[in-house]
């Protein structure tokens, strides 16, 4: 059953939790304790909430699922404090075309998004890359996140490899003896009779890590399957592997790195460079503007969200859910690096990475705070921020590119958990923003329970004192949806932005699942505690 952990004494919370359960389980006889029948499929949850016309709802869900499994154009956000989008575009054209001429179209975004450049990628697979075990006998298997990264233009890192070629394993064992002798140029032997020995030159190479492995070409498979591959037509790279389906992503060539780094699980070093891809996506990892943090890969909807927030120089801004995306840096750029931008990180590692990103991007106003985001109201001054950003954990249904497998799909109970967790974030965030300040709420899912229904919860929860602000809608975005259960009225639907993969307005193939709502806090600031 579904257990949401609410007290019966809060009728408003109970009413909304019951509404969520009814949306997930429309035929359930729900009780005050929210026990539910066995979970239903996620796609069925979406269909039951998208449209009264089931055939239209099914078609919409299928379009989202299929588009989620395709490659997406590479959207870049240029650091306009360091260069102009035009100069970044010229640098990209020179480097990409000189490296490997291709037919990708590079172009800037409209004037409403002046810091954007897009490398256009077709959403269809290319037929030029063939899976040929006779031509390329060796293969590797990488995990699902690594596979999705390759679909987006990355190379293969040691961190993502699940199965190494046998020749690599064997060569690394043989190489271990050379590693032990590294750095010793001479050693003294002992004569058999115990007398003085002689000096013997060590034949260990100057750099034992060089040329230990001949260049090796491999087929690359990712754990999971894309949803455009017909069921039953997935690939098993080797009969020794289990029955899980894998997706063929192309061919790659080994990179000459130390064997120890190959087997270090936390190593993000590139170990295989893609030669041919089933998706015609260019690799921009080594481009100058990427390595020097002059530009960063950032999806179109995320940058539309920060533009909607419109941060200003000199303001105090709180990012409650920093992960590895560049929304924090984008906000700092729009502030002209003047003001305070506190970014809450859930772990020390994420805080360290943000500090490294801040230094490499030459941004000074960002401050990494290692703390629990749901406890910021206990550690930071309430109602002290001009703008607050919330991008909480979500189901990520419809994000691109996406590979799935039977063990990786969220259950319907998880949707309940995500929705209630997001409301906790909204509740805490409302305490941190000043009256008259702005609160930006984003998710990377198409699930209306986490999007429109949460907006309705905010508007009807009077203690939060929030008003929904209308947003300018780009052609790639749609209005919100009222759903079968009246999530939002027509007026509110027009004030939020919903991005879905495969939508008609996405002519540049840049759209992925995303939802944006912007609130303004009403009323006066609370009186200071006399104590």
């Amino acid at each position: 059953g579904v257990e949401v952990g609410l007290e019966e004494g809060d009728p408003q919370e109970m009413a909304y939790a019951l509404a969520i359960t009814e949306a997930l389980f429309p035929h359930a006889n729900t009780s005050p304790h929210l026990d539910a029948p066995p979970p239903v499929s996620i796609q069925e949850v979406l269909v039951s909430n998208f449209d009264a016309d089931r055939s239209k709802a099914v078609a919409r869900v299928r379009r989202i699922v299929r588009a989620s499994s395709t490659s997406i154009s590479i959207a870049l956000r240029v650091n306009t404090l360091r260069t102009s989008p035009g100069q970044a575009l010229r640098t990209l054209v020179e480097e990409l075309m000189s490296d490997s001429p291709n037919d990708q179209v590079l172009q800037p975004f409209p004037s409403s998004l002046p810091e954007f450049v897009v490398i256009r990628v077709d959403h269809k697979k290319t037929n030029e890359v063939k899976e040929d075990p006779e031509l390329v006998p060796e293969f590797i298997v990488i995990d699902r996140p690594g596979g999705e990264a390759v679909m987006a233009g990355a190379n293969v890192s040691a961190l993502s490899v699940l199965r190494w070629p046998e020749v690599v394993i064997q060569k690394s064992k043989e190489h271990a003896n050379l590693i032990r002798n590294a750095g010793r140029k001479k050693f003294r032997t002992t004569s058999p009779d115990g007398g003085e020995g002689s000096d013997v030159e060590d034949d260990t190479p100057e750099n034992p890590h060089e040329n230990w492995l001949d260049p090796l070409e491999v087929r690359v498979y990712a754990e999971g399957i894309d949803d455009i591959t017909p069921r039953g037509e997935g690939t098993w790279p080797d009969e020794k592997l289990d029955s899980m389906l894998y997706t063929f992503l192309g061919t790659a060539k080994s990179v000459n790195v130390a064997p120890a780094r190959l087997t270090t699980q936390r190593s993000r070093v590139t170990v295989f460079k893609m030669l041919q891809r089933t998706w015609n996506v260019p690799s921009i990892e080594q481009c100058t503007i990427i390595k020097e943090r002059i530009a960063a890969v950032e999806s179109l909807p995320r940058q539309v969200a920060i533009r909607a927030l419109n941060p200003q120089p000199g303001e105090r801004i709180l990012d409650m859910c920093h992960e590895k995306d560049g929304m924090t840096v984008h906000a700092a750029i729009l502030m002209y690096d003047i003001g305070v931008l506190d970014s809450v990180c859930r772990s020390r590692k994420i805080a360290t990475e943000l500090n490294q990103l801040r230094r490499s991007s030459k941004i000074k106003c960002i401050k990494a705070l290692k703390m629990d985001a749901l406890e910021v109201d206990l550690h930071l001054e309430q109602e002290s921020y001009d703008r607050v950003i919330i991008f909480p954990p979500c189901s990520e249904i419809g994000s691109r590119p996406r590979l799935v497998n039977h063990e990786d799909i969220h259950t319907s109970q998880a949707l309940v958990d995500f929705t209630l967790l997001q409301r906790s974030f909204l509740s805490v965030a409302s305490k941190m923003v000043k009256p008259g300040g702005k609160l930006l709420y984003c998710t990377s899912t198409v699930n209306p329970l986490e999007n429109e229904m949460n907006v309705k919860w905010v508007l009807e929860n009077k203690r939060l004192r929030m008003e929904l602000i209308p947003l300018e809608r780009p052609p790639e975005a749609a209005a919100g949806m009222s759903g079968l259960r009246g999530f939002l009225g027509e007026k509110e639907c027009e004030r939020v932005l919903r991005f879905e993969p495969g939508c008609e307005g996405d002519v540049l193939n840049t759209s992925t699942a995303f939802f944006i709502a912007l609130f303004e806090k009403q009323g006066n600031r609370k009186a200071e505690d006399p104590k």
Side-chain angles (χ1 to χ4, degrees):
V2 177
E3 195 66 47
V4 296
L6 293 176
E7 297 181 5
E8 292 188 44
D10 189 340
Q12 187 178 42
E13 295 289 339
M14 287 298 297
Y16 275 106
L18 284 169
I20 294 172
T21 307
E22 290 169 0
L24 292 172
F25 312 105
H27 305 298
N29 181 18
T30 54
S31 70
H33 296 286
L34 300 180
D35 292 328
V40 295
S41 72
I42 298 302
Q43 292 191 26
E44 183 59 33
V45 171
L46 297 180
V47 168
S48 66
N49 286 282
F50 267 20
D51 201 297
D53 186 330
R54 183 174 176 82
S55 61
K56 289 183 179 180
V58 169
R60 186 173 181 179
V61 171
R62 284 179 177 173
R63 184 252 299 165
I64 291 171
V65 170
R66 290 176 65 85
S68 299
S69 298
T70 61
S71 235
I72 186 172
S73 292
I74 301 175
L76 300 176
R77 184 254 308 137
V78 178
N79 185 342
T80 52
L81 300 180
R82 300 181 61 187
T83 190
S84 67
Q87 181 58 48
L89 184 64
R90 287 190 290 272
T91 302
L92 268 177
V93 170
E94 292 173 1
E95 295 191 13
L96 286 179
M97 298 307 173
S98 62
D99 181 50
S100 56
N102 54 61
D103 58 356
Q104 267 85 27
V105 179
L106 292 91
Q107 61 189 85
F109 267 83
S111 57
S112 59
L113 295 167
E115 61 269 30
F116 278 79
V117 170
V118 62
I119 304 175
R120 189 172 181 177
V121 174
D122 191 356
H123 65 86
K124 297 180 181 179
K125 280 187 175 182
T126 175
N127 295 319
E128 298 176 358
V129 183
K130 301 296 183 182
E131 181 183 0
D132 191 344
E134 294 185 0
L135 183 64
V136 184
E138 295 288 351
F139 70 93
I140 62 172
V141 176
I142 59 180
D143 60 18
R144 181 184 58 76
E148 292 168 355
V150 168
M151 290 174 66
N155 290 308
V156 179
S157 69
L159 181 69
S160 65
V161 179
L162 299 176
R163 191 270 187 194
W164 295 92
E166 291 295 333
V167 63
V168 174
I169 297 173
Q170 182 61 33
K171 285 284 187 180
S172 64
K173 291 179 179 178
E174 295 174 357
H175 190 72
N177 291 330
L178 287 179
I179 296 295
R180 295 190 187 99
N181 292 329
R184 292 190 302 163
K185 305 312 298 177
K186 281 186 177 182
F187 60 92
R188 178 169 291 275
T189 63
T190 301
S191 64
D193 58 2
E196 185 175 353
S198 60
D199 291 336
V200 177
E201 291 291 334
D202 182 14
D203 60 357
T204 303
E206 182 73 23
N207 186 345
H209 298 315
E210 288 185 355
N211 304 319
W212 70 278
L213 178 68
D214 294 331
L216 178 67
E217 187 172 346
V218 296
R219 290 171 284 136
V220 181
Y221 296 88
E223 189 180 50
I225 186 170
D226 59 60
D227 271 291
I228 63 172
T229 302
R231 289 294 182 259
E233 296 184 16
T235 302
W236 287 272
D238 190 280
E239 61 182 8
K240 297 178 182 179
L241 298 176
D242 58 33
S243 60
M244 180 185 290
L245 294 178
Y246 296 82
T247 298
F248 175 61
L249 298 178
T251 60
K253 187 176 182 179
S254 61
V255 176
N256 188 26
V257 297
R261 300 191 73 182
L262 297 182
T263 55
T264 301
Q265 293 301 313
R266 292 186 297 274
S267 176
R268 297 183 184 277
V269 64
T270 295
V271 290
F272 288 94
K273 184 176 181 180
M274 296 299 296
L275 297 175
Q276 294 180 304
R277 301 173 188 264
T278 53
W279 302 98
N280 192 21
V281 183
S283 177
I284 62 172
E285 291 177 344
Q286 298 305 312
C287 289
T288 302
I289 65 171
I290 300 298
K291 291 195 297 183
E292 297 182 1
R293 302 287 189 181
I294 297 173
V297 177
E298 197 63 39
S299 71
L300 167 65
R302 294 187 184 202
Q303 305 315 315
V304 169
I306 295 299
R307 272 285 172 180
L309 180 65
N310 193 26
Q312 297 296 309
E315 290 185 332
R316 283 176 54 83
I317 296 178
L318 176 64
D319 178 4
M320 282 183 54
C321 312
H322 177 80
E323 283 293 336
K324 297 178 181 179
D325 56 83
M327 293 177 72
T328 303
V329 173
H330 191 196
I333 291 171
L334 297 185
M335 296 167 64
Y336 292 94
D337 199 17
I338 301 172
V340 176
L341 206 170
D342 290 335
S343 190
V344 177
C345 306
R346 61 181 172 85
S347 70
R348 191 178 303 276
K349 178 182 178 182
I350 294 175
T352 300
E353 291 175 348
L354 176 58
N355 282 325
Q356 293 172 347
L357 175 63
R358 175 181 58 81
R359 287 190 290 269
S360 60
S361 301
K362 302 187 185 301
I363 299 290
K364 299 178 181 178
C365 70
I366 297 175
K367 182 179 181 181
L369 305 176
K370 194 273 176 184
M371 65 176 65
D372 185 339
L374 296 179
E375 296 180 354
V376 295
D377 56 327
L378 304 178
H379 303 286
L380 303 175
E381 183 183 357
Q382 297 185 19
E383 293 192 339
S384 63
Y385 291 93
D386 299 284
R387 302 172 201 266
V388 175
I389 304 169
I390 316 176
F391 188 11
C394 67
S395 59
E396 297 187 359
I397 301 171
S399 62
R400 299 171 66 192
R402 196 73 169 169
L403 296 172
V404 297
N405 60 51
H406 63 280
E407 297 177 349
D408 202 47
I409 300 297
H410 291 304
T411 64
S412 50
Q413 179 176 342
L415 297 189
V416 174
D417 296 336
F418 278 126
T419 303
L420 297 179
L421 175 63
Q422 290 150 4
R423 292 182 183 181
S424 297
F425 276 94
L426 285 163
S427 181
V428 172
S430 69
K431 301 177 184 178
M432 306 307 298
V433 65
K434 297 177 179 178
K438 305 296 191 299
L439 172 59
L440 176 68
Y441 175 66
C442 304
T443 72
S444 54
T445 181
V446 297
N447 178 23
L449 305 178
E450 301 173 69
N451 297 334
E452 287 87 350
M453 196 166 185
N454 274 344
V455 171
K456 180 179 180 180
W457 177 83
V458 170
L459 296 177
E460 295 189 357
N461 196 330
K462 299 303 181 184
R463 64 183 176 85
L464 301 183
R465 298 148 52 198
M466 292 293 173
E467 179 181 327
L468 192 61
I469 299 176
L471 300 173
E472 181 181 351
R473 189 184 310 157
E476 295 83 2
M481 58 194 311
S482 61
L484 295 183
R485 306 170 199 285
F487 296 130
L488 290 178
E490 182 177 348
K491 178 182 177 181
E492 289 78 18
C493 285
E494 292 296 324
R495 293 190 171 193
V496 300
L497 301 182
R498 165 179 278 271
F499 292 83
E500 294 179 358
C503 61
E504 292 182 1
D506 187 21
V507 294
L508 294 179
N509 189 34
T510 55
S511 191
T512 183
F514 211 80
F515 180 82
I516 304 171
L518 185 64
F519 302 94
E520 182 176 302
K521 189 169 184 177
Q522 305 302 300
N524 299 318
R525 183 168 182 175
K526 294 178 181 179
E528 296 292 337
D529 189 339
K531 296 181 181 180

